[in-house]
Structures are given as C-alpha cells and as structure tokens.
Amino acid sequence: MDTKFQKWLLDHQPDDNMRWKDNFWHTYCFWRDSILPMFTDEFYSKRFNWDALFIGIDKNTDVVGEHMSKSIINPVVKITYKDVEIVFRYNFYDYEVAVLSPKAIELPMEKLFVSKETDFFYQGFPKEYQVKERYEDNNRRFVAKIYDDYSFYTFMFLLQRAISE
C-alpha cells in the first residue's frame, strides 16, 4: 500500500518511547483501512480491485494540515468526494469534522454528533476550513464534534451515503 496518506504516516511516525504511539497507529490505520476507502468509487464496485482503491484514495485524499497532541504530530485530512470537501482531525480525545458541500446534506442528527453548544478548536485546520456554521443552521457548510471511533465511522458512513444520493 503506497498512498499519500500512508506516506505521511510513515514520515511522521512517533518514536517508540511515545506513550500514545499505539493509539496513533490504531487511529490512522482505521482511517486508512475503513474511512478513506468509503469515499472512492472502487469501494462499492462489484469488481473490487485493491490497486484501483489506492488510486482512488490518493485522488480524493490530502493531508492539509498538522497539529500536535500528546507530543505527537497528527494529520488534518481532507477528502474531496463528489464536489464535497470533508476536513477532519483527531487529537486522542475527539474528532472535529468540517463539511463544505454545494448541496444540502441530510443526516440523522439524534446523538450522531455534537454541533450546538460546544467549542471547536480547529487544531491544524487551514483557515478556509475553519467553518463556524452548525448543521442545525446550515446543512451545506457545518462543523461537527465526535467523541469516539464508532460514532465517527457511523457519521462518515452516513455522510458518504447522503453525498452519494
């Protein structure tokens, strides 16, 4: 596997003495293997092809920023899928996700993510992706906070399905 994201991980892997090193690899391999492939045409193909999947990940995914958490450099990733930009980061506590879409995105809000009445820190986000709108006010351009891997996967899965409709 040789993707831009994989190369970024290998170029920024934490030292062996870093306490959060295992969590770094767990999180970003989860992104590489489960999140990023969802946003490729190959992922839902009847004739699945690994090489095509990696080409799709490279085409759709960029590391657009970095931030430091637990003394480890972490990526800020942007996926561009069907003209929608999804920018997200993880800081060993929570996920922050910005969505910029030319069309409305319908998501089930109930307990899926936090949008209202929370602070967003945009660690490592380029300025153009520091979205201030909340989903409740603007379902084309919004920011969300998510607190665990399962909710993040569910959010990204439902987001991909909503974009694809």
Side-chain angles (χ1 to χ4, degrees), residues 80-139:
T80 304
Y81 182 67
K82 299 186 186 283
D83 296 327
V84 176
E85 294 178 303
I86 307 155
V87 179
F88 54 99
R89 67 93 183 123
Y90 180 68
N91 68 357
F92 302 111
Y93 295 106
D94 58 29
Y95 293 91
E96 285 185 356
V97 183
V99 178
L100 296 88
S101 173
K103 66 177 187 169
I105 296 177
E106 299 299 325
L107 292 171
M109 281 290 296
E110 188 70 27
K111 298 181 182 175
L112 179 59
F113 61 93
V114 179
S115 183
K116 286 267 191 209
E117 300 171 10
T118 192
D119 292 325
F120 294 92
F121 299 104
Y122 309 102
Q123 297 155 310
F125 274 56
K127 247 201 187 337
E128 64 268 26
Y129 300 113
Q130 294 181 14
V131 176
K132 304 298 184 208
E133 295 92 349
R134 305 303 201 248
Y135 181 84
E136 297 86 348
D137 302 322
N138 186 347
N139 65 356

Side-chain angles (χ1 to χ4, degrees), residues 7-133:
K7 181 172 178 356
W8 187 95
L9 292 177
L10 294 174
D11 289 347
H12 294 83
Q13 55 188 313
D15 291 333
D16 286 338
N17 63 343
M18 300 302 293
R19 180 176 288 179
W20 290 80
K21 175 186 168 202
D22 291 344
N23 191 273
F24 173 94
W25 285 113
H26 168 82
T27 298
Y28 299 125
C29 288
F30 163 63
W31 288 15
R32 181 198 65 203
D33 299 342
S34 300
I35 301 299
L36 301 180
M38 272 193 270
F39 294 90
T40 67
D41 294 332
E42 186 61 29
F43 189 69
Y44 293 100
S45 170
K46 290 182 177 158
R47 304 190 117 198
F48 190 82
N49 177 305
W50 282 104
D51 290 335
L53 178 71
F54 298 139
I55 290 168
I57 290 172
D58 266 357
K59 183 178 127 201
N60 295 350
T61 306
D62 290 298
V63 177
V64 295
E66 299 174 345
H67 67 94
M68 183 79 71
S69 182
K70 301 293 185 193
S71 299
I72 295 174
I73 297 173
N74 294 274
V76 176
V77 172
K78 179 180 85 167
I79 297 171
T80 304
Y81 182 67
K82 299 186 186 283
D83 296 327
V84 176
E85 294 178 303
I86 307 155
V87 179
F88 54 99
R89 67 93 183 123
Y90 180 68
N91 68 357
F92 302 111
Y93 295 106
D94 58 29
Y95 293 91
E96 285 185 356
V97 183
V99 178
L100 296 88
S101 173
K103 66 177 187 169
I105 296 177
E106 299 299 325
L107 292 171
M109 281 290 296
E110 188 70 27
K111 298 181 182 175
L112 179 59
F113 61 93
V114 179
S115 183
K116 286 267 191 209
E117 300 171 10
T118 192
D119 292 325
F120 294 92
F121 299 104
Y122 309 102
Q123 297 155 310
F125 274 56
K127 247 201 187 337
E128 64 268 26
Y129 300 113
Q130 294 181 14
V131 176
K132 304 298 184 208
E133 295 92 349

